[in-house]
Amino acid sequence: MSHHHHHHGDTSTGNIKTAFFLNFVFTIIEIIGGLLTNSMAILSDALHDLGDSLSLGLAWFLQKFSKKGTSESFSFGYRRFSLLAALINSIVLIVGSVFIITEAVPRLLNPPEPHAGGMLAVAVLGIIINGAAVFRLKGGDSMNQKVLSWHLLEDVLGWAAVLFVSILMLFFDLPVLDPLASIGITIFILYNVIKNLVQTMKLFLEAVPADVDLKRIIKEINELPGVLSSHHTHLWSLDGENHAFSTHVVVAGDAGKQDICTIKDGVKGALKSIQLEHVTIEVEYEDDPCGLDP
């Protein structure tokens, strides 16, 4: 016996599309600005932003693809493709962050002397454009949007550091602050992206979502009037936002239709705080053994 619930109010695709165009246009501006100001920091950031743009484009495509309905090959639909985008983007961001660190460390010994005024102007523009993109993705529930938010937040923090460093360099000869700030921010972002990557991998391996207490749900189901026991209870996530649930509940041999309907409503009540895409409740009578048991 199954119950289905579908959630349609998702603006993820539009948000990612906007963030992609903002990031891509700014990457072009950034490359030009880096060449004009002779700033290796800006050019390095431009390379990282180019990687971000490619990741955002991939995420936009996969997020849109994930909205397709079910098919013979994918009976749950294509939501997990959004999770695939989150996984790929996490890896891209980790590789990009490691690259930035390897570029920044040598500059600690021999920091280049960029045009501070030009850096300041590009940094202000970077904060505005990347800040707008972060705002568009803020509060997204899907793992894809969360990973992308870190992509763009890294850029905002990076440009805040460039702004701070460029202001200091207008008054003091301290070019070493540029690679120092770059290393600090990159390590901070790397830490958070690795945490997201671990969570994404758990979802891929069908772990119970971190914000759901499965033990509490099982306890509530077992305490429902008319439920003798439950087993084969599973909860997994399709994309980090929409989940699926299945369970087998055992009832008395003389339980009637109304009893079973009440029990099913009780099970759904125990799940009401979770955003579920699919629920399956298998009802078994105590004198009718489960066919899945060994």
Side-chain angles (χ1 to χ4, degrees), residues 30 39-46 48 93 96-108 111-112 119 153-166 169 174-191:
E30 197 177 2
S39 169
M40 288 304 294
I42 290 178
L43 286 174
S44 174
D45 222 314
H48 187 66
L93 191 52
S97 296
V98 170
F99 173 77
I100 286 176
I101 290 173
T102 58
E103 287 291 305
V105 169
R107 290 180 194 163
L108 293 172
M119 283 179 66
L153 181 59
E154 179 185 37
D155 294 331
V156 172
L157 292 174
W159 285 116
V162 172
L163 177 65
F164 178 69
V165 166
S166 62
M169 286 196 298
L174 294 169
V176 73
L177 290 177
D178 186 6
L180 275 175
S182 175
I183 291 170
I185 290 166
T186 303
I187 289 174
F188 169 72
I189 296 295
L190 196 56
Y191 168 73

Side-chain angles (χ1 to χ4, degrees), residues 67-143:
K67 300 301 173 191
K68 291 176 65 177
T70 60
S71 68
E72 289 184 11
S73 299
F74 296 92
S75 62
F76 270 111
Y78 293 79
R79 287 193 182 278
R80 199 157 276 249
F81 280 82
S82 170
L83 208 57
L84 176 63
L87 182 66
I88 294 171
N89 288 339
S90 292
I91 294 170
V92 168
L93 191 52
I94 288 170
V95 171
S97 296
V98 170
F99 173 77
I100 286 176
I101 290 173
T102 58
E103 287 291 305
V105 169
R107 290 180 194 163
L108 293 172
L109 301 175
N110 187 26
E113 191 72 53
H115 187 282
M119 283 179 66
L120 192 149
V122 177
V124 169
L125 194 59
I127 290 170
I128 292 171
I129 293 178
N130 284 286
V134 170
F135 183 77
R136 285 291 296 187
L137 294 178
K138 186 181 178 184
D141 292 319
S142 72
M143 188 56 65

Side-chain angles (χ1 to χ4, degrees), residues 1-3 76 206 208 214 217-218 221 230-237 243-249 267 271 274 276-284 292:
M1 297 183 184
S2 300
H3 166 72
F76 270 111
E206 298 193 340
V208 176
L214 185 58
I217 292 171
I218 293 173
I221 291 173
S230 64
H231 54 274
H232 290 307
T233 300
H234 306 290
L235 178 66
W236 67 102
S237 185
H243 311 317
F245 176 86
S246 68
T247 188
H248 291 210
V249 293
V267 173
L271 302 168
I274 309 168
L276 288 164
E277 180 78 9
H278 180 90
V279 177
T280 300
I281 303 168
E282 180 78 18
V283 178
E284 299 168 4
L292 296 178

Side-chain angles (χ1 to χ4, degrees), residues 10-30:
D10 194 336
T11 58
S12 294
T13 306
N15 291 342
I16 293 171
K17 176 183 176 181
T18 302
F20 165 72
F21 281 112
L22 283 171
N23 208 75
F24 183 70
V25 170
F26 181 64
T27 299
I28 296 170
I29 295 171
E30 197 177 2

